[in-house]
């Protein structure tokens, strides 16, 4: 598996599990790399850190829920946040 495929697979994993807020260690395991190497590789390919990428997905999901009429608390929990 090349680096592009590895990062693409992790991005799909992050999107599918964003509500669980996976840790760097979990993402690195999905990529089959050490956390340090994964962080460097992801940042080089995606242009942002894994944490920043996850935060962007989480924010977009929370905004969509709020637009659809969800309460602040409900949107926060559904997006995987610990509170409003």
């Amino acid at each position: 598996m090349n680096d592009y495929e590895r990062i693409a697979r992790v991005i799909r994993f992050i999107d599918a599990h964003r509500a669980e807020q996976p840790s760097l260690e979990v993402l690195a395991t999905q990529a089959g790399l050490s956390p340090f190497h994964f962080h460097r590789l992801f940042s080089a390919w995606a242009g942002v850190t894994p944490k920043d990428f996850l935060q962007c997905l989480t924010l977009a999901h929370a905004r969509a829920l709020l637009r659809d009429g969800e309460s602040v608390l409900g949107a926060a929990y559904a997006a995987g946040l610990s509170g409003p």
Side-chain angles (χ1 to χ4, degrees), residues 50-62:
K51 182 175 182 169
D52 288 343
F53 185 80
L54 180 58
Q55 287 175 339
C56 287
L57 289 180
T58 301
L59 179 60
H61 184 61

Side-chain angles (χ1 to χ4, degrees), residues 7-75:
I7 297 304
R9 187 176 74 198
V10 172
I11 287 173
R12 286 190 297 272
F13 179 84
I14 292 171
D15 189 39
H17 296 91
R18 69 177 173 262
E20 300 162 19
Q21 299 289 299
S23 67
L24 180 63
E25 290 75 20
V26 169
L27 298 177
T29 300
Q30 287 296 314
L33 301 169
S34 72
F36 175 76
H37 190 128
F38 169 71
H39 189 275
R40 283 189 20 213
L41 186 67
F42 188 95
S43 297
W45 277 92
V48 295
T49 67
K51 182 175 182 169
D52 288 343
F53 185 80
L54 180 58
Q55 287 175 339
C56 287
L57 289 180
T58 301
L59 179 60
H61 184 61
R63 282 183 177 165
L65 291 170
L66 290 170
R67 268 194 306 273
D68 292 342
E70 185 69 51
S71 70
V72 172
L73 186 61

